[in-house]
Amino acid sequence: MNVIVSDEGFAPDDWTDGFVTLDDAANDVVALDVASDTDPDELAERLGCAKMVRVDFPSFADGRGFTIARTLRLKGYTGRLRAKGHVLADQYAMARRSGFDEVEIDHALAKRQPEDQWLARADWQDHNYQSRLRG
């Protein structure tokens, strides 16, 4: 089982409804598992009543998941958004700003980057340069 990172720190995964891929999704899907190369506009059209969308980050250098999250939020998605995979503690603030609610990491990454490193970035709203520019 993986570790869920939120603004409060590490927690076990509380999602019990499972996930389906976009290709297998029906109209009554509860949670979607999407790849980083998914077209965010197409995804927004096919969400239906999904309560959770989990976006895969195959590499810490692959930022397409941030675009997916931002696009879904701009198009009105209000369900849970989770980044999964190779997201680093340094990227946590960007994940939250782009619209993710939480990050799912494996135990190996949690060991290399302990909870205190993630919590140091949990004040993501305080260090947003765009809000400082707006006054």
Side-chain angles (χ1 to χ4, degrees):
M1 190 169 221
N2 289 333
V3 175
I4 303 302
V5 183
S6 71
D7 292 350
E8 289 78 39
F10 286 1
D13 192 351
D14 65 352
W15 186 258
T16 59
D17 290 331
F19 294 89
V20 297
T21 65
L22 194 56
D23 293 334
D24 296 331
N27 291 336
D28 60 348
V29 67
V30 176
L32 284 171
D33 224 350
V34 299
S36 63
D37 62 353
T38 301
D39 179 334
D41 293 313
E42 178 187 337
L43 177 59
E45 293 171 9
R46 296 182 60 193
L47 276 178
C49 59
K51 294 180 183 175
M52 161 113 58
V53 176
R54 182 170 67 176
V55 181
D56 186 44
F57 279 74
S59 163
F60 71 88
D62 185 347
R64 295 175 290 179
F66 298 123
T67 301
I68 292 171
R70 185 70 179 144
T71 302
L72 291 179
R73 291 301 189 204
L74 289 174
K75 291 185 177 271
Y77 180 69
T78 58
R80 254 168 104 173
L81 272 177
R82 178 185 289 181
K84 176 188 181 238
H86 297 280
V87 179
L88 303 176
D90 287 343
Q91 296 171 311
Y92 182 71
M94 176 59 76
R96 292 290 285 131
R97 279 190 206 109
S98 64
F100 285 107
D101 298 300
E102 57 201 30
V103 175
E104 179 180 342
I105 59 173
D106 62 27
H107 285 286
L109 180 57
K111 190 173 182 179
R112 283 193 313 274
Q113 294 191 321
E115 185 177 30
D116 64 317
Q117 291 184 22
W118 294 85
L119 286 173
R121 284 129 183 115
D123 59 352
W124 56 276
Q125 293 172 321
D126 294 337
H127 299 291
N128 182 350
Y129 76 93
Q130 292 173 338
S131 63
R132 285 195 311 262
L133 291 175
R134 288 185 202 114

